[in-house]
């Protein structure tokens, strides 16, 4: 493969880990990484946590320092988007008109925040959080504390921003249309736990009504109107209403796209020489027997390398149990599993949720489909083994903190 060229499109974790793996697996041909962003690939979780709060520097954000890429003979094309893809010619066109011919291509184009579409939103100075520049803007806006912050959306980003804003002494109103934050990913029981956590920390949490209008004032402040008629004046308004996979390039090229770029268990797209990984990939996961698109850090961390091995012709089956984590105030949490459309029919607690040191399991038909550990560590492998095994558990034993997790099977 010495004369081959592998091109990776993306400036996030999936892209960085893919080029790293191409080299560590011995590929000695040309490797080019193309990113629309003008700095080396970076990790996004710190952007709503340590980096946003000024605790972590750039070293915690960049996956590798820029010189690492030169040391690995990885060519960086930064600050230039890929704008065209000719599958038949194996040719990528860049925003500045140059072209790059490839033998194998990886699309790790991630995702982009959904925009608020209510009247007034287009012209208002609303903040979103996806890039380092977004995090810098938000950090500057929160600096010094004492600001009135309105957060639109009670998903992971909205909640982490609310926590960061409270921890730097700002007033926070959070508007969530559903009955609790995180209703989709966690359900009402555990969503309620996050609602209580934020209320305890002084967030004015308004649930049950979405935003109906946004009014910009001449002084730069913004009034967010909710569907019940409530008006919330913000010096800073941050919107976290979900993301959409960045599929434009793939779609225009004619690759199969459906809730992301559709890939098989080897992360191969509908064209045999093109692969996709990370947030943008809707991958067939044989463990669940369905396509799953995972918008979380661990999927970029592991999916990038898996795609790279597939590009090198290795037999790859990417069947990981989806995993994510969050940190909010004193709560650190890890979640493993996939509820899918079938959902769950029972929530089982191991330890007391009030103590904020417990585990929760989502069961369907007596088997653990997902589990979360809150301020309890080194249990992820056991949780994932239960999910992967798919066996029925004995609920009484699962609730009993004295019974090791592997011994809870019925
Ligand atoms: P991305 O990180 O989105 O990177 C995609 C890259 O591709 C970008 O650099 C983009 O500019 C580039 N690109 C797109 N189109 C083109 C193009 N046409 N040409 C060239 N370049 C292009 N997950 C967790 O599990 N836990 C957390 O606590 C957590 N916190 C988060 C906090 C924030 C603020 C954000 C934004 C995300 C967080 N996530 C978290 C999610 C996690 O960061 C993502 O799942 C991860 O970034 C996905 O990596 P990726 O490489 O697939 O895509």
């Amino acid at each position: 493969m010495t004369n081959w060229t592998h091109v990776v499109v993306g400036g996030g974790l999936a892209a960085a880990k893919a080029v790293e793996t191409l080299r560590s697996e011995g590929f000695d041909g040309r490797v080019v990484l193309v990113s629309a962003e003008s700095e080396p690939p970076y990790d996004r979780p710190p952007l709503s946590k340590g980096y946003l709060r000024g605790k972590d520097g750039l070293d915690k954000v960049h996956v590798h320092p820029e010189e690492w890429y030169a040391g690995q003979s990885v060519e960086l094309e930064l600050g230039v988007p890929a704008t065209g893809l000719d599958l038949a010619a194996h040719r990528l066109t860049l925003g500045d008109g140059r072209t790059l011919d490839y033998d194998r291509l990886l699309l790790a184009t991630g995702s982009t925040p959904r925009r608020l579409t209510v009247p007034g939103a287009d012209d208002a100075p609303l903040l979103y959080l996806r890039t380092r520049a977004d995090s810098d803007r938000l950090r500057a806006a929160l600096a010094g504390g004492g600001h009135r912050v309105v957060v639109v959306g009670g998903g992971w980003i909205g909640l982490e921003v609310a926590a960061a804003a409270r921890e730097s002494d700002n007033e926070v109103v959070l508007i969530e249309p559903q009955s609790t934050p995180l209703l989709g990913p966690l359900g009402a029981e555990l969503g309620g736990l996050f609602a209580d956590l934020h209320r305890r920390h002084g967030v004015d949490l308004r649930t049950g009504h979405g935003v109906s209008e946004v009014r910009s004032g001449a002084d730069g402040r913004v009034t967010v109107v909710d569907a019940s008629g409530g008006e919330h004046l913000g010096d800073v308004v941050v919107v976290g209403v979900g993301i959409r996979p960045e599929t434009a390039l793939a779609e225009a090229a004619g690759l199969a796209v459906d809730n992301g770029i559709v890939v098989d268990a080897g992360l191969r797209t509908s064209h045999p020489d093109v692969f996709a990984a990370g947030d943008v990939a809707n991958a067939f996961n044989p463990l669940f027997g369905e396509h799953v698109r995972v918008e979380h850090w661990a999927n970029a961390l592991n999916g990038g390398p898996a795609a790279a091995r597939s590009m090198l012709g290795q037999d790859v089956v990417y069947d990981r149990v989806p995993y994510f984590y969050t940190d909010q105030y004193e709560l650190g949490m890890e979640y493993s599993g996939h509820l899918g459309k079938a959902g769950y029919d029972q929530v089982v607690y191991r330890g007391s949720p009030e103590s904020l040191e417990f585990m929760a399991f989502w069961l369907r038909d007596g088997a653990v489909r997902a589990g979360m550990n809150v301020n309890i560590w080194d249990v992820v492998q056991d949780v994932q083994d239960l999910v992967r095994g798919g066996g029925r558990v004995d609920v009484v034993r699962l609730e009993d903190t004295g019974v090791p997790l592997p011994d809870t099977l019925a």
Side-chain angles (χ1 to χ4, degrees):
M1 285 185 169
T2 304
N3 298 323
W4 281 31
T5 298
H6 289 342
V7 175
V8 174
V9 181
L13 184 61
K17 285 289 163 186
V19 297
E20 182 184 325
T21 305
L22 287 172
R23 287 299 184 223
S24 65
E25 291 288 328
F27 176 65
D28 57 0
R30 188 177 176 212
V31 177
V32 187
L33 183 149
V34 179
S35 171
E37 299 196 66
S38 51
E39 63 185 305
Y42 60 89
D43 225 355
R44 288 168 212 272
L47 303 183
S48 55
K49 306 179 187 68
Y51 182 78
L52 176 62
R53 298 185 54 212
K55 284 181 169 172
D56 293 336
L58 268 186
D59 56 317
K60 290 267 171 29
V61 174
H62 286 148
V63 182
H64 299 296
E66 189 155 357
E67 55 275 18
W68 178 90
Y69 296 89
Q72 294 289 316
S73 300
V74 173
E75 298 170 39
L76 289 181
E77 291 289 353
L78 301 180
V80 57
T83 50
L85 171 56
D86 182 337
L87 295 171
H90 285 60
R91 180 164 300 154
L92 193 68
T93 303
L94 307 188
D96 57 12
R98 285 178 298 149
T99 57
L100 261 175
D101 290 348
Y102 63 83
D103 291 287
R104 300 254 157 94
L105 175 72
L106 172 62
L107 298 174
T109 47
S111 48
T112 311
R114 287 184 193 284
R115 300 276 145 178
L116 198 60
T117 54
V118 300
D122 283 349
D123 305 321
L126 307 177
L127 298 182
Y128 292 83
L129 182 52
R130 185 74 198 174
T131 64
R132 189 163 77 84
D134 293 339
S135 184
D136 288 340
R137 260 190 298 275
L138 181 55
R139 192 205 299 196
L142 298 178
H147 306 287
R148 275 181 287 188
V149 180
V150 180
V151 178
V152 178
W156 299 113
I157 296 290
L159 293 180
E160 289 191 359
V161 166
R166 283 299 298 142
E167 286 181 339
S168 47
D169 293 326
N170 296 284
E171 282 178 36
V172 178
V173 178
L174 190 147
I175 301 171
E176 163 55 48
Q178 295 188 293
S179 55
T180 73
L182 303 172
L183 188 68
L186 299 188
E189 299 87 347
L190 276 305
L193 178 106
F194 280 86
D196 293 345
L197 174 76
H198 280 267
R199 288 198 167 112
R200 267 203 313 281
H201 281 274
V203 173
D204 181 0
L205 182 59
R206 306 290 181 102
T207 55
H209 298 285
V211 170
S212 58
E213 189 189 345
V214 168
R215 291 188 210 124
S216 301
D219 56 1
R221 290 196 260 174
V222 175
T223 301
V224 178
V225 184
D226 72 37
S228 73
E231 298 192 356
H232 313 280
L233 179 66
D235 306 312
V236 181
V237 178
V238 190
V239 179
V241 292
I243 55 176
R244 55 168 188 77
E246 193 52 68
T247 54
L249 190 64
E251 226 162 326
L255 291 171
V257 169
D258 178 13
N259 178 32
I261 303 172
V262 178
V263 290
D264 64 16
L267 304 183
R268 195 181 291 257
T269 68
S270 51
H271 188 285
D273 293 328
V274 182
F275 300 76
D279 276 19
V280 79
N282 188 10
F284 182 77
N285 188 323
L287 188 58
F288 307 110
E290 61 186 18
H291 282 81
V292 181
R293 193 171 66 76
V294 181
E295 303 170 346
H296 299 299
W297 171 85
N299 181 53
L301 180 77
N302 298 303
R309 286 193 287 272
S310 223
M311 290 165 84
L312 297 176
Q314 297 178 20
D315 200 7
V316 170
V317 179
Y318 187 69
D319 64 350
R320 294 187 75 93
V321 174
Y323 163 96
F324 68 84
Y325 69 94
T326 186
D327 292 313
Q328 299 171 32
Y329 314 107
E330 71 278 22
L331 179 149
M333 174 280 242
E334 297 174 292
Y335 173 105
S336 301
H338 171 66
L339 295 176
K341 286 197 183 72
Y344 64 95
D345 51 35
Q346 190 178 4
V347 176
V348 174
Y349 295 97
R350 184 175 168 94
S352 137
E354 290 74 40
S355 70
L356 282 194
E357 232 183 80
F358 71 102
M359 298 179 73
F361 297 91
W362 289 261
L363 273 55
R364 185 174 65 247
D365 301 329
V368 172
R369 310 298 171 170
M372 120 179 172
N373 45 296
V374 175
N375 292 333
I376 291 177
W377 309 112
D378 303 324
V379 289
V380 167
Q381 191 57 54
D382 285 346
V383 176
Q384 296 201 351
D385 287 348
L386 287 176
V387 172
R388 184 174 289 280
R392 293 174 70 87
V393 285
D394 177 328
V395 169
V396 174
R397 292 172 71 76
L398 188 61
E399 285 171 336
D400 185 344
T401 55
V403 177
L405 282 174
D407 299 341
T408 57
L409 288 171

